[in-house]
Amino acid sequence: MNRISPLLTPLLPSSCSVPARRRYPGRANRYSKRLNLKPLTSRIVLLTRRRQLDQIVEEVEAAKKRYGRLNTIVMNSVLEACVHCGDVDLALRLFNEMAEPGGCGVDSITYATILKGLGKARRIDEAFQMMESIEKGTAAGSPKLSSSLVYGLLDSLINAGDLRRANGLLARYGTLLLEQGGPSVLIYNLLMKGYINSGSPQAAVVLLDEMLRLGLEPDRPTYNTLINACIKCGDLDAAMKFLKEMKEKAEEYYDDSRYPDVITYTTLVKGFGDAKDLISLQEIYLEMKLCDSLFIDRTAFTAVVDALLKCGSTNGALCVFGEILKRSGDDVDLRPKPHLYMSMMRAFAVQGDYGMVRNLYLRLWPDSSGRISKAVQQEADNLLMEAALNAGQLDEALGILTSIVKRWKAIPWTTSGGMAAVRLEALLGFSKSILRPHILSKVIPGEPIESIMIPFEATRPLLGTLQLKNVVMRFYKEQVVPIVDDWGSCIGLLHREDCNNLDASLVSMMRSPPPCVSTTTSIGRVVDLVLEKKHKMVIVIHCCGNGYSSKAVGAFTRAQLHRLFEPEQKLLWWM
């Protein structure tokens, strides 16, 4: 059931404690229709930051049903949400609805948002077509071609790393930009960012000389981009040179807007962290704290902690982390994100500090800010087990592994948690294993699969043209059945969970093509395939000459695999 926020209420003339006045029907009707949509717009902006696009669409549709057509400001915020969440198709559908005769209308902000979305989605041809329609005056709403539209599309192209199209855009609409003030610092800042995104940070530094020749003074974003380029190149000395030059320029022109900001210092912190230069990192952090006009936000604090951990200073990282928690008591915007907790847990898990990891694990849910994804929860459980294992607490690690198996049902072996589980299994042996080890003692893994496969006729395949209602009892007994065509060739597998329409043909519900192996494939390879891909049946086909015949000759099922296993109780004599 859709719910409307109580903040969305019509602004009606108040009649409480006010003498009665003559009311004109026309005026009362107009005021009764005027809505205060600012709370809805603020709500959309908040949900956009959380990337909850489905919730935005649901609330906007509910508002439409209650109040009718919404205004352009609200719909522009919805378009921004679509672009931010990467759903450009939905943004285009909403744009067409707004541009229709009965819609709320479009403006230059609408077009700027759509152009940004098309640029981010690399749908450049559509973006240029829209720009041309604006230039020709045939676009809906008759917007004027302005430099802001060109800059918006240029920024999207550069963020996508498409410098060729970006230069083409500048060549096409360069005259318009020249008419509105000539080459600007903003263009060079965007081009520098584009070179960095495309993997050529050296070219960004070269653009500075061209700016100076044209008489353009670099601003703070210019220096921030140049410092970032130097960090990408690994030239930290040049980055510090630009930092010094920023300060000198600010003092020379008495311009506070030229002083380094939190972005400048955060970029340098990341650079020194990657270079594992602990001394320079500590000096930069001290300079940040001594700067009275600089507010260290959550992003900067997180970068400092990550950099200290990369430099191996876990005590320093713990001190900064404690400072974040202390400051977050007065400012909720400083509450750490789950990422920071995970970084700390990884570092202390490697050291085997189980107590610290457990404390961080317990405070992750109540003290962190933002959404804790399923992947983060899984990694947190795995890190807790790894910390217990590295601390030598095998029983504690076994208990955590047991809860992980019950909760998540699986552990990826390629992760650190998977490797920790393997180590734990090796240390405990089969007697205490919870993963129920089995051995294929009845077969030799190197033998071909045709030695143990079921003949294809024994699987009793079904014709694909049959309707499900005619053979539905078959799927009460079997989980998967092969499907064949009129010539007897296996064309797919139909699983019990896919049988959802009694009147449909089997071929319309089957999974095609079926997983196939040749008769010469080893048993071990087929077993790996069944376990890794979770196949319930694998079709065996006969190799004929340089290719395969179109007729299946056998099958291997998961039930066969289970019958080949020897449980761990029969393996204890081997230990």
Side-chain angles (χ1 to χ4, degrees), residues 154-206:
L154 180 64
D155 186 47
S156 298
L157 292 173
I158 286 174
N159 285 331
D162 195 344
L163 283 178
R164 184 178 64 85
R165 297 293 185 96
N167 288 320
L169 180 66
L170 288 175
R172 177 68 179 82
Y173 297 103
T175 305
L176 174 66
L177 300 178
L178 289 174
E179 292 175 353
Q180 300 185 6
S184 66
V185 177
L186 177 59
I187 293 179
Y188 282 96
N189 291 345
L190 292 175
L191 289 176
M192 287 179 183
K193 184 170 65 172
Y195 281 119
I196 294 174
N197 293 340
S198 62
S200 302
Q202 301 88 346
V205 180
V206 174

Side-chain angles (χ1 to χ4, degrees), residues 30-41:
R30 181 172 67 253
Y31 287 136
S32 64
K33 290 184 179 179
R34 193 173 65 183
L35 300 175
N36 181 16
L37 295 175
K38 289 184 179 179
L40 177 60
T41 306

Side-chain angles (χ1 to χ4, degrees), residues 194-227:
Y195 281 119
I196 294 174
N197 293 340
S198 62
S200 302
Q202 301 88 346
V205 180
V206 174
L207 281 179
L208 177 63
D209 297 332
E210 185 176 339
M211 287 182 61
L212 297 176
R213 285 198 303 269
L214 294 174
L216 297 175
E217 281 291 336
D219 56 6
R220 180 191 288 164
T222 306
Y223 280 111
N224 286 344
T225 308
L226 290 170
I227 290 174

Side-chain angles (χ1 to χ4, degrees), residues 68 78 106 112 135 139 167 176 191 194 213 271 281 379 388 397 410 426 450:
V78 178
V106 294
E135 185 179 12
N167 288 320
L176 174 66
L191 289 176
R213 285 198 303 269
L281 173 61
E379 186 180 3
E450 63 178 344

Side-chain angles (χ1 to χ4, degrees), residues 294-539:
L294 183 69
F295 175 74
I296 306 177
D297 58 10
R298 177 169 53 199
T299 303
F301 271 124
T302 303
V304 172
V305 174
D306 286 338
L308 288 170
L309 291 176
K310 289 181 180 179
C311 294
S313 178
T314 53
N315 290 333
L318 191 59
C319 291
V320 178
F321 183 75
E323 183 178 357
I324 298 173
L325 295 179
K326 183 179 179 180
R327 292 195 182 189
S328 64
D330 299 327
D331 187 355
V332 294
D333 291 334
L334 289 178
R335 291 182 63 185
K337 291 281 189 178
H339 157 79
L340 190 56
Y341 278 90
M342 300 309 297
S343 298
M344 298 288 292
M345 290 175 66
R346 292 188 196 103
F348 287 105
V350 172
Q351 296 180 0
D353 193 340
Y354 177 68
M356 181 61 68
V357 175
R358 181 171 176 78
N359 289 335
L360 291 169
Y361 178 86
L362 294 175
R363 303 311 306 173
L364 172 63
W365 277 265
D367 291 346
S368 64
S369 173
R371 174 175 173 268
I372 302 177
S373 64
K374 180 179 177 181
V376 170
Q377 297 178 39
Q378 288 179 325
E379 186 180 3
D381 291 341
N382 292 339
L383 288 173
L384 190 63
M385 175 186 63
E386 183 181 354
L389 177 61
N390 290 337
Q393 302 182 25
L394 298 186
D395 293 336
E396 186 73 19
L398 180 61
I400 299 171
L401 178 58
T402 304
S403 64
I404 290 175
V405 173
K406 291 180 180 179
R407 182 181 182 186
W408 303 112
K409 308 302 180 184
I411 303 178
W413 298 116
T414 56
T415 63
S416 59
M419 297 304 298
V422 171
R423 289 168 51 203
L424 183 61
E425 286 288 302
L427 291 172
L428 294 176
F430 287 148
S431 59
K432 294 185 178 180
S433 174
I434 66 169
L435 300 182
R436 297 173 57 201
H438 292 73
I439 283 184
L440 299 175
S441 60
K442 299 180 181 180
V443 296
I444 300 176
E447 290 185 351
I449 191 64
E450 63 178 344
S451 61
I452 61 171
M453 70 179 186
I454 303 173
F456 188 69
E457 294 76 11
T459 63
R460 297 187 300 151
L462 296 174
L463 193 62
T465 56
L466 293 174
Q467 289 185 325
L468 177 60
K469 61 183 178 182
N470 297 326
V471 291
V472 66
M473 296 303 298
R474 177 76 179 275
F475 292 92
Y476 281 99
K477 302 176 182 178
E478 302 179 31
Q479 293 186 352
V480 59
V481 176
I483 306 300
V484 296
D485 57 15
D486 295 334
W487 294 273
S489 299
C490 183
I491 56 176
L493 299 177
L494 181 56
H495 295 70
R496 178 190 296 168
E497 58 268 23
D498 296 334
C499 299
N500 50 25
N501 188 353
L502 288 174
D503 295 325
S505 61
L506 302 182
V507 70
S508 65
M509 296 180 289
M510 71 179 185
R511 301 180 190 179
S512 180
C516 298
V517 296
S518 68
T519 54
T520 57
T521 304
S522 66
I523 296 175
R525 177 70 188 94
V526 177
V527 169
D528 290 340
L529 186 64
V530 171
L531 294 177
E532 292 175 7
K533 304 298 182 181
K534 298 183 179 180
H535 293 313
K536 295 180 181 178
M537 178 181 289
V538 176
I539 302 301

